Coordinates of all heavy atoms in Angstrom, one line a residue:
L37 N 3.9 13.2 9.3 CA 3.5 12.6 8.0 C 2.0 12.0 8.3 O 1.1 12.1 7.5 CB 4.4 11.5 7.5 CG 3.9 10.6 6.4 CD1 3.7 11.5 5.2 CD2 5.0 9.4 6.1
R38 N 2.0 11.3 9.4 CA 0.6 10.8 9.8 C -0.5 11.8 9.8 O -1.6 11.6 9.2 CB 0.6 10.0 11.1 CG -0.7 9.4 11.4 CD -0.7 8.8 13.0 NE -0.5 9.7 13.9 CZ -1.4 10.4 14.5 NH1 -2.6 10.3 14.1 NH2 -1.0 11.3 15.5
K39 N -0.2 12.9 10.4 CA -1.3 13.9 10.6 C -1.6 14.5 9.2 O -2.7 14.8 8.9 CB -0.8 15.1 11.5 CG -0.7 14.6 12.9 CD -2.1 14.1 13.5 CE -2.9 15.2 14.0 NZ -4.1 14.8 14.6
S40 N -0.6 14.7 8.4 CA -0.9 15.2 7.0 C -1.7 14.2 6.2 O -2.7 14.7 5.6 CB 0.4 15.5 6.3 OG 0.3 15.8 5.0
L41 N -1.4 13.0 6.2 CA -2.1 12.0 5.4 C -3.5 11.8 6.1 O -4.6 11.8 5.4 CB -1.5 10.7 5.3 CG -0.2 10.7 4.6 CD1 0.6 9.3 4.8 CD2 -0.4 11.0 3.1
Q42 N -3.7 11.8 7.4 CA -5.0 11.6 8.0 C -5.9 12.7 7.8 O -7.1 12.6 7.6 CB -4.7 11.5 9.6 CG -5.8 11.0 10.3 CD -5.4 10.8 11.8 OE1 -4.2 10.6 12.2 NE2 -6.4 10.7 12.6
A43 N -5.3 14.0 7.6 CA -6.2 15.3 7.3 C -6.8 15.1 6.0 O -7.8 15.6 5.8 CB -5.3 16.4 7.5
K44 N -6.2 14.4 5.1 CA -6.7 14.4 3.7 C -7.7 13.2 3.5 O -8.3 13.0 2.6 CB -5.6 14.1 2.7 CG -4.7 15.4 2.7 CD -3.5 15.0 1.8 CE -2.3 16.0 2.0 NZ -1.2 15.7 1.1
A45 N -7.6 12.1 4.5 CA -8.5 11.0 4.4 C -9.6 11.1 5.3 O -9.7 11.9 6.2 CB -7.6 9.8 5.0
Q46 N -10.8 10.3 4.9 CA -11.9 10.4 5.6 C -12.0 9.2 6.7 O -11.7 8.1 6.3 CB -13.1 10.1 4.6 CG -14.6 10.0 5.3 CD -15.6 9.7 4.2 OE1 -15.3 9.7 3.0 NE2 -16.7 9.4 4.7
R47 N -12.5 9.6 7.9 CA -12.6 8.5 8.8 C -14.0 7.8 8.7 O -15.0 8.4 8.6 CB -12.4 9.1 10.2 CG -12.7 8.0 11.2 CD -12.6 8.5 12.7 NE -12.8 7.5 13.6 CZ -13.5 7.7 14.9 NH1 -13.5 8.9 15.3 NH2 -13.7 6.7 15.5
I48 N -14.0 6.6 8.7 CA -15.2 5.8 8.5 C -15.7 5.5 9.9 O -15.0 4.9 10.8 CB -15.0 4.5 7.7 CG1 -14.6 4.8 6.4 CG2 -16.2 3.7 7.8 CD1 -14.0 3.7 5.7
D49 N -17.1 5.8 10.2 CA -17.6 5.5 11.5 C -17.9 4.0 11.5 O -18.7 3.5 10.7 CB -18.8 6.3 11.6 CG -19.4 6.2 13.0 OD1 -19.9 5.0 13.2 OD2 -19.5 7.1 13.8

Side-chain angles (χ1 to χ4, degrees):
L37 176 59
R38 178 182 66 83
K39 292 303 276 185
S40 172
L41 293 172
Q42 192 174 340
K44 298 173 189 172
Q46 176 186 353
R47 178 180 174 205
I48 298 167
D49 185 294

